[in-house]
Amino acid sequence: QVQLVESGGGLVQAGGSLRLSCAASGRTISTATMGWFRQAPGNERDFVAAISPSAGMINYADSVKGRFTISRDNAKNTVYLQMNSLKPEETAVYRCAAAFGLYTRSPTGFNFWGPGTQVTVSS
């Protein structure tokens, strides 16, 4: 089992930046694909970014390319999401997830999930 806890969310003005962290415990995530997803009220859970265990593969949703950066520090068992130029429509709960298996971007491929951190972008 692995426990994931996100932090770094909050209220930011449009155009601002936030850095989310996802700290893992209970098991090393060095062999896991890590992903970030977001879900706004009434909406489905959307893929944001994913990173392979060695960071050799990274993918982003088209809507965040060039503005968001996913990274990981396996020594700290932590994954990050740097978010720049945030938009009001990106207000959502952001959740990190771990997939111990094949590299994936599908939420169904992730085994473990954090509770999420709220990101609110004001206009």
Side-chain angles (χ1 to χ4, degrees):
Q1 292 284 341
V2 61
Q3 292 77 44
L4 304 173
V5 178
E6 303 91 342
S7 61
L11 174 64
V12 64
Q13 289 187 333
S17 299
L18 284 174
R19 188 193 194 206
L20 305 183
S21 298
C22 173
S25 61
R27 178 180 178 179
T28 178
I29 59 169
S30 62
T31 59
T33 293
M34 299 299 295
W36 284 97
F37 295 81
R38 63 189 179 191
Q39 187 167 18
N43 290 2
E44 294 185 351
R45 182 169 43 189
D46 292 330
F47 168 78
V48 176
I51 185 168
S52 65
S54 62
M57 293 181 65
I58 293 176
N59 290 98
Y60 297 98
D62 288 343
S63 60
V64 307
K65 284 180 180 177
R67 299 185 298 117
F68 288 17
T69 302
I70 188 172
S71 61
R72 66 191 299 160
D73 186 337
N74 288 338
K76 294 183 178 180
N77 232 24
T78 302
V79 178
Y80 306 96
L81 184 68
Q82 176 67 43
M83 306 186 295
N84 299 327
S85 302
L86 282 160
K87 306 174 182 179
E89 56 266 35
E90 295 180 309
T91 293
V93 173
Y94 284 70
R95 301 178 71 185
C96 71
F100 290 91
L102 296 177
Y103 182 79
T104 181
R105 290 173 287 178
S106 170
T108 59
F110 287 83
N111 314 101
F112 301 96
W113 293 81
T117 184
Q118 176 70 45
V119 172
T120 302
V121 186
S122 63
S123 57

